[in-house]
Amino acid sequence: MANKKKKRLVIRTIILSIMAIAVAYTLYASFTKDKHSKVTVGDKAPNFSLVDMNGDRHELSDYKGKGIFLNFWGTYCEPCKDEMPDMENQYKVYKDQGVEILAVNVGEPDYFIEKFLDKYPLSFPVLKDKNRDVRDVYNIYNLPATFLINPEGEIIKIEEGRLTEEKIAAMMESIKP
């Protein structure tokens, strides 16, 4: 009889402990959600540091004074495949006018990125967000996603979905120093 009571006490203690942990986590998550608020137009672009396909490190803050066309993409994304050649064409026009493209691949292995670049050769930096940390900071859920950052480091436009070459040109014109 005493053994059954002891087992019941242990089980109740475990259940109460699990419930206490769940309540504590819920409170923690609700109090810290503002730290991960959505990046919006008018915000200073969150800084990041990523490695490109050549192993060179790129930090967003290194591009201060330039207009940044920050594009998040994936090799599996059909609209990304469509807009990459258009981005390359416009980069050739605007790179000498103070506009940079940073193409951030979201979480894919080098092999897939290399195969993509064999098919779509690009002259702008292709950065690897292996752990999706930058994607999370910028709250990216749909690809492609493009952030226009003016020379002062402020986000002036956020665009999700496929961009036409005309729209890319207009966007780059808007962030030209």
PDB file of all heavy atoms in Angstrom, residues 1-14:
ATOM      1  N   MET A   1       0.812  -1.188   0.000  1.00  0.00           N
ATOM      2  CA  MET A   1       0.000   0.000   0.000  1.00  0.00           C
ATOM      3  C   MET A   1       0.863   1.262   0.000  1.00  0.00           C
ATOM      4  O   MET A   1       0.603   2.180  -0.754  1.00  0.00           O
ATOM      5  CB  MET A   1      -0.852  -0.040   1.254  1.00  0.00           C
ATOM      6  CG  MET A   1      -2.270   0.445   1.183  1.00  0.00           C
ATOM      7  SD  MET A   1      -3.095   0.246  -0.336  1.00  0.00           S
ATOM      8  CE  MET A   1      -4.708   0.071   0.236  1.00  0.00           C
ATOM      9  N   ALA A   2       1.857   1.299   0.833  1.00  0.00           N
ATOM     10  CA  ALA A   2       2.744   2.453   0.926  1.00  0.00           C
ATOM     11  C   ALA A   2       3.527   2.625  -0.368  1.00  0.00           C
ATOM     12  O   ALA A   2       3.841   3.749  -0.766  1.00  0.00           O
ATOM     13  CB  ALA A   2       3.697   2.291   2.103  1.00  0.00           C
ATOM     14  N   ASN A   3       3.827   1.534  -1.038  1.00  0.00           N
ATOM     15  CA  ASN A   3       4.560   1.572  -2.298  1.00  0.00           C
ATOM     16  C   ASN A   3       3.723   2.249  -3.389  1.00  0.00           C
ATOM     17  O   ASN A   3       4.239   3.014  -4.192  1.00  0.00           O
ATOM     18  CB  ASN A   3       4.955   0.149  -2.700  1.00  0.00           C
ATOM     19  CG  ASN A   3       6.173   0.145  -3.595  1.00  0.00           C
ATOM     20  OD1 ASN A   3       6.829   1.161  -3.743  1.00  0.00           O
ATOM     21  ND2 ASN A   3       6.463  -0.998  -4.173  1.00  0.00           N
ATOM     22  N   LYS A   4       2.404   1.979  -3.434  1.00  0.00           N
ATOM     23  CA  LYS A   4       1.512   2.595  -4.417  1.00  0.00           C
ATOM     24  C   LYS A   4       1.416   4.096  -4.181  1.00  0.00           C
ATOM     25  O   LYS A   4       1.408   4.883  -5.122  1.00  0.00           O
ATOM     26  CB  LYS A   4       0.111   1.972  -4.348  1.00  0.00           C
ATOM     27  CG  LYS A   4       0.009   0.639  -5.013  1.00  0.00           C
ATOM     28  CD  LYS A   4      -1.434   0.180  -5.025  1.00  0.00           C
ATOM     29  CE  LYS A   4      -1.566  -1.145  -5.734  1.00  0.00           C
ATOM     30  NZ  LYS A   4      -2.960  -1.584  -5.784  1.00  0.00           N
ATOM     31  N   LYS A   5       1.327   4.493  -2.912  1.00  0.00           N
ATOM     32  CA  LYS A   5       1.254   5.917  -2.581  1.00  0.00           C
ATOM     33  C   LYS A   5       2.536   6.640  -3.002  1.00  0.00           C
ATOM     34  O   LYS A   5       2.503   7.760  -3.492  1.00  0.00           O
ATOM     35  CB  LYS A   5       1.011   6.105  -1.074  1.00  0.00           C
ATOM     36  CG  LYS A   5      -0.397   5.815  -0.649  1.00  0.00           C
ATOM     37  CD  LYS A   5      -0.569   6.133   0.811  1.00  0.00           C
ATOM     38  CE  LYS A   5      -1.993   5.848   1.244  1.00  0.00           C
ATOM     39  NZ  LYS A   5      -2.193   6.205   2.648  1.00  0.00           N
ATOM     40  N   LYS A   6       3.655   5.971  -2.809  1.00  0.00           N
ATOM     41  CA  LYS A   6       4.944   6.553  -3.174  1.00  0.00           C
ATOM     42  C   LYS A   6       5.029   6.754  -4.693  1.00  0.00           C
ATOM     43  O   LYS A   6       5.466   7.806  -5.169  1.00  0.00           O
ATOM     44  CB  LYS A   6       6.067   5.646  -2.667  1.00  0.00           C
ATOM     45  CG  LYS A   6       7.410   6.300  -2.623  1.00  0.00           C
ATOM     46  CD  LYS A   6       8.423   5.374  -1.984  1.00  0.00           C
ATOM     47  CE  LYS A   6       9.669   6.139  -1.637  1.00  0.00           C
ATOM     48  NZ  LYS A   6      10.653   5.303  -0.978  1.00  0.00           N
ATOM     49  N   LYS A   7       4.567   5.759  -5.476  1.00  0.00           N
ATOM     50  CA  LYS A   7       4.583   5.854  -6.943  1.00  0.00           C
ATOM     51  C   LYS A   7       3.677   6.985  -7.418  1.00  0.00           C
ATOM     52  O   LYS A   7       4.015   7.741  -8.317  1.00  0.00           O
ATOM     53  CB  LYS A   7       4.132   4.536  -7.577  1.00  0.00           C
ATOM     54  CG  LYS A   7       5.184   3.479  -7.609  1.00  0.00           C
ATOM     55  CD  LYS A   7       4.683   2.240  -8.338  1.00  0.00           C
ATOM     56  CE  LYS A   7       5.715   1.141  -8.320  1.00  0.00           C
ATOM     57  NZ  LYS A   7       5.237  -0.067  -8.984  1.00  0.00           N
ATOM     58  N   ARG A   8       2.483   7.074  -6.793  1.00  0.00           N
ATOM     59  CA  ARG A   8       1.550   8.139  -7.151  1.00  0.00           C
ATOM     60  C   ARG A   8       2.155   9.517  -6.875  1.00  0.00           C
ATOM     61  O   ARG A   8       2.013  10.449  -7.670  1.00  0.00           O
ATOM     62  CB  ARG A   8       0.255   7.972  -6.354  1.00  0.00           C
ATOM     63  CG  ARG A   8      -0.930   7.656  -7.228  1.00  0.00           C
ATOM     64  CD  ARG A   8      -2.205   7.710  -6.451  1.00  0.00           C
ATOM     65  NE  ARG A   8      -2.057   7.115  -5.133  1.00  0.00           N
ATOM     66  CZ  ARG A   8      -2.949   6.364  -4.535  1.00  0.00           C
ATOM     67  NH1 ARG A   8      -4.090   6.120  -5.118  1.00  0.00           N
ATOM     68  NH2 ARG A   8      -2.734   5.872  -3.347  1.00  0.00           N
ATOM     69  N   LEU A   9       2.829   9.645  -5.755  1.00  0.00           N
ATOM     70  CA  LEU A   9       3.470  10.911  -5.392  1.00  0.00           C
ATOM     71  C   LEU A   9       4.550  11.282  -6.411  1.00  0.00           C
ATOM     72  O   LEU A   9       4.648  12.437  -6.836  1.00  0.00           O
ATOM     73  CB  LEU A   9       4.071  10.824  -3.984  1.00  0.00           C
ATOM     74  CG  LEU A   9       4.801  12.082  -3.497  1.00  0.00           C
ATOM     75  CD1 LEU A   9       3.824  13.254  -3.392  1.00  0.00           C
ATOM     76  CD2 LEU A   9       5.479  11.818  -2.174  1.00  0.00           C
ATOM     77  N   VAL A  10       5.342  10.316  -6.836  1.00  0.00           N
ATOM     78  CA  VAL A  10       6.401  10.556  -7.818  1.00  0.00           C
ATOM     79  C   VAL A  10       5.779  10.987  -9.147  1.00  0.00           C
ATOM     80  O   VAL A  10       6.227  11.963  -9.778  1.00  0.00           O
ATOM     81  CB  VAL A  10       7.299   9.307  -7.985  1.00  0.00           C
ATOM     82  CG1 VAL A  10       8.205   9.437  -9.199  1.00  0.00           C
ATOM     83  CG2 VAL A  10       8.113   9.064  -6.738  1.00  0.00           C
ATOM     84  N   ILE A  11       4.739  10.295  -9.590  1.00  0.00           N
ATOM     85  CA  ILE A  11       4.090  10.622 -10.858  1.00  0.00           C
ATOM     86  C   ILE A  11       3.473  12.020 -10.797  1.00  0.00           C
ATOM     87  O   ILE A  11       3.626  12.826 -11.722  1.00  0.00           O
ATOM     88  CB  ILE A  11       3.028   9.553 -11.225  1.00  0.00           C
ATOM     89  CG1 ILE A  11       3.742   8.248 -11.605  1.00  0.00           C
ATOM     90  CG2 ILE A  11       2.144  10.025 -12.374  1.00  0.00           C
ATOM     91  CD1 ILE A  11       2.836   7.064 -11.806  1.00  0.00           C
ATOM     92  N   ARG A  12       2.807  12.345  -9.710  1.00  0.00           N
ATOM     93  CA  ARG A  12       2.222  13.678  -9.554  1.00  0.00           C
ATOM     94  C   ARG A  12       3.298  14.759  -9.550  1.00  0.00           C
ATOM     95  O   ARG A  12       3.125  15.835 -10.124  1.00  0.00           O
ATOM     96  CB  ARG A  12       1.401  13.743  -8.260  1.00  0.00           C
ATOM     97  CG  ARG A  12       0.094  12.992  -8.348  1.00  0.00           C
ATOM     98  CD  ARG A  12      -0.661  13.074  -7.049  1.00  0.00           C
ATOM     99  NE  ARG A  12      -1.878  12.292  -7.137  1.00  0.00           N
ATOM    100  CZ  ARG A  12      -2.575  11.893  -6.099  1.00  0.00           C
ATOM    101  NH1 ARG A  12      -2.175  12.208  -4.865  1.00  0.00           N
ATOM    102  NH2 ARG A  12      -3.668  11.189  -6.252  1.00  0.00           N
ATOM    103  N   THR A  13       4.403  14.492  -8.895  1.00  0.00           N
ATOM    104  CA  THR A  13       5.505  15.452  -8.855  1.00  0.00           C
ATOM    105  C   THR A  13       6.065  15.686 -10.253  1.00  0.00           C
ATOM    106  O   THR A  13       6.343  16.828 -10.643  1.00  0.00           O
ATOM    107  CB  THR A  13       6.615  14.949  -7.900  1.00  0.00           C
ATOM    108  OG1 THR A  13       6.039  14.720  -6.611  1.00  0.00           O
ATOM    109  CG2 THR A  13       7.743  15.950  -7.792  1.00  0.00           C
ATOM    110  N   ILE A  14       6.217  14.627 -11.026  1.00  0.00           N
ATOM    111  CA  ILE A  14       6.728  14.754 -12.398  1.00  0.00           C
ATOM    112  C   ILE A  14       5.751  15.572 -13.245  1.00  0.00           C
ATOM    113  O   ILE A  14       6.161  16.489 -13.973  1.00  0.00           O
ATOM    114  CB  ILE A  14       6.987  13.360 -13.012  1.00  0.00           C
ATOM    115  CG1 ILE A  14       8.183  12.692 -12.326  1.00  0.00           C
ATOM    116  CG2 ILE A  14       7.217  13.460 -14.524  1.00  0.00           C
ATOM    117  CD1 ILE A  14       8.395  11.239 -12.707  1.00  0.00           C
TER     118      ILE A  14
END
